[in-house]
Amino acid sequence: METMRERLIWLRKEYLKLSRAKFGEPIGMSDSVVKNYEYGLTEITDAKIRLICKHYGVSEIWLRTGKGDPFAPLGRAQEIARIINQALTREPEEDRQKLIHAIQGMDDAHIVLLAQILDDLYGNK
């Protein structure tokens, strides 16, 4: 991948497997804005590059130049944020079904732990 455009397409399409709309939504970019960046019709601003990198956990040096690892080592909080951000950009019903399926395979101790975490987050309603 020689250009930033190619790296952006790879990140969105191959790695994250997101449509342009789903990729841009959490970072305030419309489908057409992402398309213009990918086709080279509009130059990506420094602010948007930083936003993409922060939200998707991408190395800014890699995105700009292609040098180094695409994903810089993240701290624990950054890694958790990356996982949550990716989960929030997907289809809610599809993720709900995946979560139900995953929970069915858990042992009782893990289910109790998950229930406690959800109760702490959302309270008993």
Side-chain angles (χ1 to χ4, degrees):
M1 295 174 278
E2 294 184 19
T3 67
M4 185 163 41
R5 293 181 327 107
E6 291 171 325
R7 289 184 289 278
L8 184 63
I9 292 168
W10 176 85
L11 173 67
R12 176 189 64 79
K13 195 173 180 180
E14 302 299 324
Y15 183 76
L16 297 170
K17 300 191 183 327
L18 294 174
S19 67
R20 288 185 186 106
K22 288 289 183 187
F23 177 82
E25 184 179 320
I27 52 180
M29 296 188 325
S30 68
D31 174 272
S32 61
V33 168
V34 175
K35 182 179 179 180
N36 287 342
Y37 289 158
E38 291 181 351
Y39 280 81
L41 302 174
T42 307
E43 188 173 327
I44 305 175
T45 65
D46 288 341
K48 288 295 182 187
I49 291 169
R50 286 190 295 276
L51 191 58
I52 290 167
C53 292
K54 182 177 180 183
H55 185 78
Y56 291 109
V58 177
S59 162
E60 189 173 336
I61 293 169
W62 174 82
L63 186 59
R64 289 179 183 273
T65 68
K67 294 180 180 166
D69 187 347
F71 303 98
L74 301 175
R76 185 173 175 86
Q78 290 172 313
E79 180 64 17
I80 292 167
R82 184 192 64 77
I83 292 166
I84 290 170
N85 287 337
Q86 282 185 329
L88 293 176
T89 61
R90 297 187 180 130
E91 293 298 321
E93 185 55 31
E94 182 181 330
D95 282 348
R96 184 175 171 274
Q97 293 302 319
K98 286 180 183 178
L99 183 59
I100 289 169
H101 180 73
I103 291 170
Q104 287 175 335
M106 289 181 175
D107 61 33
D108 290 345
H110 284 102
I111 291 173
V112 168
L113 178 60
L114 179 60
Q116 289 171 342
I117 291 168
L118 293 173
D119 191 46
D120 287 347
L121 286 173
Y122 301 109
N124 225 352
K125 293 184 179 183

